[in-house]
Amino acid sequence: MPKRLLLFVSLAGLAAPAFAVDPAIKKQLEKLDPSTRLEQSCDTEAMSRINNDSTGFKPDKVIAYTFKDPIAGDNSLQAPGAVFRSKGDWYHLSYNCITGPQHINVRELDYQIGEKVPREKWDKYYLYD
């Protein structure tokens, strides 16, 4: 699992606007196995969308599997137990994501932002500053 987090941290720095896949991100995603690629593409897109919406959140990380395992389909991912970090705090997140067959281009993404995760629960769920 730490390997997945490390990979996400490196991809997060390359986040691009919604639906546009930067060539550098595409090259990194192509190196991943299909299931990891699906999750990373959807996480990166969720981060980009939240960053660009009018809520004021500025996420720097999204993790799809914190509170519940994501459910993967052929070209889709449901992440009802995701989280994101913004300005040093973690927030519950759920999303549904549909990609193309290569799991690189996100075609649809719906998300809902939940409550802030209390700091006293961070250790239990491996969340960090």
Side-chain angles (χ1 to χ4, degrees):
M1 198 176 312
K3 182 179 174 185
R4 292 170 67 182
L5 288 175
L6 179 61
L7 175 61
F8 176 73
V9 170
S10 66
L11 289 175
L14 302 172
F19 292 105
V21 178
D22 180 276
I25 291 175
K26 183 178 182 200
K27 189 171 188 143
Q28 291 295 320
L29 290 170
E30 288 172 338
K31 295 177 183 178
L32 303 174
D33 66 86
S35 64
T36 303
R37 184 182 319 133
L38 173 66
E39 185 176 311
Q40 293 294 319
S41 292
C42 291
D43 285 354
T44 302
E45 184 67 20
M47 186 170 61
S48 178
R49 296 272 188 102
I50 295 167
N51 188 54
N52 290 321
D53 73 13
S54 61
T55 62
F57 290 112
K58 297 296 176 199
D60 60 0
K61 293 189 180 20
V62 171
I63 304 171
Y65 51 84
T66 299
F67 294 104
K68 191 173 183 181
D69 287 337
I71 302 161
D74 290 340
N75 298 318
S76 65
L77 188 72
Q78 295 176 12
V83 293
F84 71 94
R85 187 175 70 185
S86 175
K87 301 175 187 173
D89 289 314
W90 289 95
Y91 296 86
H92 288 268
L93 175 68
S94 63
Y95 69 74
N96 293 314
C97 176
I98 299 173
T99 69
Q102 298 301 312
H103 302 162
I104 292 174
N105 296 306
V106 173
R107 295 181 175 174
E108 291 181 36
L109 180 84
D110 297 311
Y111 65 90
Q112 288 188 315
I113 296 171
E115 298 293 319
K116 187 188 309 190
V117 178
R119 189 172 280 272
E120 58 270 11
K121 291 188 177 184
W122 287 16
D123 285 344
K124 179 179 180 180
Y125 294 103
Y126 305 101
L127 302 174
Y128 49 91
D129 288 327

